[in-house]
């Protein structure tokens, strides 16, 4: 049976992953209407991957005898000043998710729930990859500058990243 404190913390993480999926979906939609098809594909894929993170947690909670109930979600931000702002927010958001995973790991550890600790290793690794991906993209922004040509090439690169299976988002 799943420890109640651990279950509550896991359900909080499910909510955050679901919210992440909505945030990236809203970003993808903004990119699509603003003429950044590559960034839109990248973010649609990112949104799907967050949904996968959520589902993986739901199945874990239920398999362990808990009940992964869903909560109401906040409305995501729908308007952005620029593509750069989107990727700055992604990095901040992923750093926040990393903190949340670390706190969750701490709850499992304190409750001596080592199987949940083991399960969370996957998320810890995933966050390392996500932060590094977001930082890498921000570095490319610095190189591209705010010129239309630079953004055009960056958008093409994001399209390429969206088509590789190892996005890690
Ligand atoms: Fe983008 O993070 Fe989920 O876990």
């Amino acid at each position: 049976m799943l420890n109640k404190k651990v279950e509550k913390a896991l359900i909080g993480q499910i909510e955050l992953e679901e919210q992440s999926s909505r945030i990236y979906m809203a970003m993808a939609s903004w990119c699509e209407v603003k003429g950044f098809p590559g960034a839109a594909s990248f973010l649609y894929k990112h949104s799907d991957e967050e949904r996968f993170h959520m589902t993986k947690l739901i199945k874990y909670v239920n398999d362990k005898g808990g009940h992964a109930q869903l909560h109401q979600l906040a409305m995501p931000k729908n308007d952005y000043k620029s593509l750069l702002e989107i990727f700055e927010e992604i990095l901040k958001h992923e750093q926040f998710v990393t903190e949340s995973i670390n706190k969750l790991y701490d709850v499992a550890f304190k409750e001596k729930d080592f199987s949940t600790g083991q399960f969370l290793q996957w998320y810890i690794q995933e966050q390392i990859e996500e932060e590094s991906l977001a930082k890498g993209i921000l570095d490319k922004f610095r190189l591209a500058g705010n010129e239309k040509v630079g953004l055009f090439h960056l958008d093409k690169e994001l399209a390429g990243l969206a088509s590789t299976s190892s996005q890690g988002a």
Side-chain angles (χ1 to χ4, degrees):
M1 202 58 191
L2 196 55
N3 170 292
K4 281 290 158 201
K5 272 194 200 161
V6 175
E7 182 180 16
K8 193 167 173 249
L10 285 164
I11 288 175
Q13 188 64 33
I14 289 167
E15 191 177 330
L16 180 56
E17 300 292 347
E18 192 179 10
Q19 186 68 25
S20 302
S21 177
R22 274 168 70 83
I23 289 170
Y24 295 135
M25 185 63 83
M27 287 174 168
S29 177
W30 184 92
C31 290
E32 195 157 54
V33 299
K34 298 292 176 182
F36 298 112
S41 308
F42 176 85
L43 289 163
Y44 279 130
K45 185 175 177 202
H46 200 145
S47 172
D48 286 349
E49 294 190 11
E50 296 302 346
R51 196 169 180 284
F52 170 71
H53 297 170
M54 170 184 79
T55 311
K56 192 174 166 79
L57 280 157
I58 289 175
K59 290 183 177 230
Y60 178 78
V61 169
N62 293 342
D63 277 354
K64 288 279 172 190
H67 181 186
Q69 300 185 38
L70 300 188
H71 297 147
Q72 197 170 5
L73 297 180
M75 188 170 94
K77 178 170 164 177
N78 285 298
D79 271 309
Y80 292 90
K81 286 197 292 285
S82 62
L83 194 57
L84 174 61
E85 186 193 13
I86 284 191
F87 282 92
E88 284 171 343
E89 290 205 6
I90 289 175
L91 178 59
K92 267 192 241 146
H93 184 74
E94 289 305 333
Q95 286 166 338
F96 177 71
V97 173
T98 299
E99 254 176 63
S100 172
I101 296 280
N102 289 345
K103 282 186 195 149
L104 177 53
Y105 186 86
D106 193 49
V107 173
F109 192 78
K110 286 194 174 120
E111 294 301 311
K112 296 193 174 14
D113 180 348
F114 301 117
S115 58
T116 295
Q118 176 73 23
F119 168 77
L120 290 173
Q121 293 294 332
W122 184 87
Y123 286 85
I124 291 170
Q125 182 58 36
E126 191 69 10
Q127 284 314 116
I128 294 171
E129 288 166 22
E130 291 208 357
E131 283 194 33
S132 134
L133 181 70
K135 281 185 193 133
I137 293 170
L138 281 174
D139 285 344
K140 289 184 199 294
F141 265 102
R142 265 165 226 128
L143 289 173
N146 222 1
E147 300 302 315
K148 276 197 175 145
V149 181
L151 288 177
F152 175 79
H153 285 294
L154 190 57
D155 191 60
K156 284 249 175 274
E157 272 201 54
L158 290 167
L161 277 175
S163 64
T164 58
S165 55
S166 57
Q167 183 180 317

